[in-house]
Amino acid sequence: MAINEILVISMFLTFIVFLFTGIPIAYVLAGVGILFGGIGYLSDMHLDTFTGLDLNVLGLVVSRIFSLMENWVLVALPMFIFMGLMLDKSGVAQRMMMAMQELFGRVRGGLGITVTLIGILLAASTGIVGASVVLLGLLSIPAMMKQNYSKTFATGIVCSAGCLGILIPPSIMLVIMADQLALSVGDLFTAAVFPGLMLGILYLAYILGLSFLNPKVAPAPENPRPLTAKVLFDVFKAILPTLALIIAVLGSIFAGIATPTEASGVGALGATILAAMNKKLNFKVFHNVLMASYKTTAYIFAIFIGATIFSLVLRELGGDEFISSMLTGLPFGPYGVLIVILLIVFLLGFLLDWIEITLIVLPLLAPVVSMLDFGIGSVNGLDEPVLVWFVMLIALTLQTSFLTPPVGFALFYLKGVCPPEIKLTDIYKGVIPFIILQLLGLGALIMFPEVALWLPSMVYGK
């Protein structure tokens, strides 16, 4: 094994070891990158067989950071984060929960259906997993416990519904993926609509099926109120503001009226107006949302800087060539290599957050996939249909990273707002069926790329 390959493998192993020290991930990425930059430089000085790493390469980090901060696409990140957090404070979700409980409360598993539908609506208007999981947990877990829902069933529903925001646009993950692979944010947003809805439909079918097959997990409500025109009107009135916001943001992007960055500003303003209309907006709320948006954005961009240093050194050590030759040398054919890549991402989801996987692993794997022949051919309106499809597969796979222990963040978000009688083991057991559903959805998207590629071809095709 060549010294370059040894250094690449050692670099990844060192990174994984430092993950368990509790040091912030941005510092780990930058520190490991600088450490192996120095090791590579010393190796170049003393080993004639080493292809070399010029330490001056690290100077490129400065220009990359400046280009990162000047990136017009990434301006959408703080605005979408602000929109999601402000919508969380607006009281819209509470109104939707109360109205939709009246609509589905008479159906067995109706609370679960309500939570999933609200999760889909929140996903299409916030794109922030943490806020959605916490909000759905606070609103629905007490009601489910009062109706004697199974603890595992209730927690699994909340975690899975809250995580839809990472896939259904406007997802901040898709914005970052578009930036990393030089793809159109609009292409990824349109491509994610049907995969996200497919996942939501799988959840709804599972909730309904299990509720009827095993009534103990979701007992029928006692003395449900009759369905009246007033109930239907209340549901429509509760959903209308959120739908209007979704149409304003996504509709303007899909129609070509606004860029994703401009649409993010519309979304931030719209969420603020909704909060004001519901009399939830004051200086304290605005200040808290502003500071939370600042902290979240700073966290993401700190990881951006650390990942820039890490990936730059990794490439100079020959990491991309090593990974490419290793994957393309597998005797499995294009789809076999693709499944191996998705398996790697799935396993990394047990250890890493989606941000690290998106910034470090995705740019290394995407070139390998673009060289493989999947028989997809050209798609009207898309320059890189294979990469768009691949991003959707990665996004679906990363859904599992929020639900898989030990670092499934949705599990801990929910545990923080659950009643004391719900243990972490209940949440772990509850998410297993939904992880399986996610993998089923992933399999469907592998077999039928049209699920992701049809809508972009209709919207952007000529």
Side-chain angles (χ1 to χ4, degrees):
M1 185 177 289
I3 184 65
N4 299 67
E5 297 173 355
I6 293 173
L7 286 176
V8 168
I9 295 171
S10 301
M11 191 173 179
F12 274 113
L13 291 177
T14 304
F15 169 66
I16 291 171
V17 168
F18 273 99
L19 280 179
F20 295 98
T21 63
I23 300 173
I25 187 68
Y27 297 155
V28 171
L29 286 167
V32 171
I34 293 170
L35 173 64
F36 276 84
I39 293 173
Y41 176 70
L42 294 175
S43 300
D44 185 39
M45 291 176 60
H46 299 289
L47 295 174
D48 295 334
T49 58
F50 186 51
T51 56
L53 185 146
D54 186 353
L55 200 59
N56 292 327
V57 166
L58 290 179
L60 295 174
V61 171
V62 177
S63 62
R64 290 198 178 189
I65 291 173
F66 271 100
S67 63
L68 183 71
M69 297 306 169
E70 293 175 348
N71 192 321
W72 177 246
V73 173
L74 294 181
V75 175
L77 284 181
M79 302 303 288
F80 278 135
I81 292 168
F82 180 92
M83 180 182 80
L85 294 173
M86 182 59 78
L87 200 69
D88 180 32
K89 302 290 185 182
S90 68
V92 170
Q94 291 92 324
R95 292 182 60 191
M96 285 195 298
M97 178 68 75
M98 292 175 62
M100 292 178 74
Q101 272 184 326
E102 294 291 327
L103 181 61
F104 296 106
R106 61 195 43 78
V107 180
R108 189 181 297 279
L111 275 176
I113 296 170
T114 299
V115 171
T116 303
L117 290 175
I118 292 177
I120 293 172
L121 289 172
L122 288 178
S125 51
T126 66
I128 299 176
V129 168
S132 296
V133 172
V134 169
L135 185 59
L136 290 175
L138 288 171
L139 293 176
S140 63
I141 291 294
M144 288 182 175
M145 293 299 97
K146 186 177 179 181
Q147 202 168 304
N148 296 318
Y149 269 58
S150 161
K151 295 176 185 176
T152 57
F153 191 49
T155 53
I157 290 170
V158 172
C159 281
S160 59
C163 289
L164 288 171
I166 205 63
L167 176 61
I168 296 177
S171 161
I172 60 174
M173 181 176 73
L174 296 180
V175 175
I176 295 175
M177 286 180 167
D179 172 70
Q180 291 297 297
L181 300 183
L183 296 172
S184 164
V185 176
D187 288 350
L188 296 190
F189 276 9
T190 50
V193 170
F194 284 146
L197 292 177
M198 174 182 68
L199 211 53
I201 291 169
L202 285 174
Y203 293 165
L204 290 171
Y206 171 73
I207 292 167
L208 279 171
L210 188 62
S211 298
F212 280 96
L213 292 174
N214 186 6
K216 290 182 180 179
V217 300
E222 297 179 1
N223 303 319
R225 289 176 58 186
L227 184 62
T228 62
K230 183 179 182 304
V231 171
L232 294 175
F233 178 74
D234 288 342
V235 171
F236 175 76
K237 190 168 66 172
I239 293 176
L240 184 61
T242 306
L243 283 178
L245 184 63
I246 293 169
I247 292 170
V249 175
L250 296 182
S252 61
I253 296 173
F254 296 167
I257 298 172
T259 67
T261 302
E262 293 164 344
S264 68
V266 173
L269 177 62
T272 306
I273 292 172
L274 288 182
M277 289 172 57
N278 289 334
K279 300 180 180 179
K280 299 285 186 179
L281 183 64
N282 53 51
F283 178 78
K284 183 179 178 181
V285 168
F286 186 78
H287 177 265
N288 289 342
V289 170
L290 206 60
M291 292 305 295
S293 302
Y294 163 75
K295 290 177 181 177
T296 304
T297 304
Y299 168 76
I300 292 174
F301 274 83
I303 296 177
F304 259 114
I305 294 171
T308 298
I309 298 171
F310 185 94
S311 59
L312 181 62
V313 172
L314 185 69
R315 282 192 169 87
E316 289 298 315
L317 291 174
D320 47 356
E321 292 92 348
F322 172 60
I323 292 170
S324 177
S325 62
M326 185 176 63
L327 289 172
T328 53
L330 294 173
F332 300 139
Y335 280 94
V337 173
L338 178 65
I339 290 171
V340 170
I341 289 173
L342 296 177
L343 180 62
I344 291 170
V345 173
F346 176 73
L347 294 176
L348 286 174
F350 285 79
L351 300 172
L352 302 177
D353 191 6
W354 65 267
I355 301 177
E356 294 91 70
I357 294 175
T358 300
L359 295 180
I360 300 170
V361 180
L362 185 62
L364 294 174
L365 298 178
V368 177
V369 173
S370 62
M371 293 188 297
L372 301 174
D373 181 16
F374 296 97
I376 291 178
S378 62
V379 176
N380 289 335
L382 292 180
D383 295 327
E384 298 281 354
V386 172
L387 279 185
V388 171
W389 171 60
F390 175 64
V391 167
M392 292 303 104
L393 293 175
I394 294 292
L396 262 176
T397 306
L398 288 178
Q399 282 274 126
T400 61
S401 70
F402 282 92
L403 300 181
T404 49
V407 292
F409 289 102
L411 313 178
F412 299 101
Y413 290 144
L414 183 59
K415 182 65 180 82
V417 297
C418 276
E421 62 268 21
I422 294 180
K423 310 243 183 304
L424 194 56
T425 52
D426 295 324
I427 302 176
Y428 283 168
K429 293 176 184 176
V431 298
I432 291 174
F434 293 94
I435 294 174
I436 295 171
L437 290 174
Q438 289 175 346
L439 296 177
L440 288 174
L442 179 64
L445 188 56
I446 292 173
M447 291 187 290
F448 305 104
E450 296 82 9
V451 174
L453 300 179
W454 180 80
L455 185 59
S457 70
M458 290 294 102
V459 174
Y460 300 111
K462 297 178 181 179

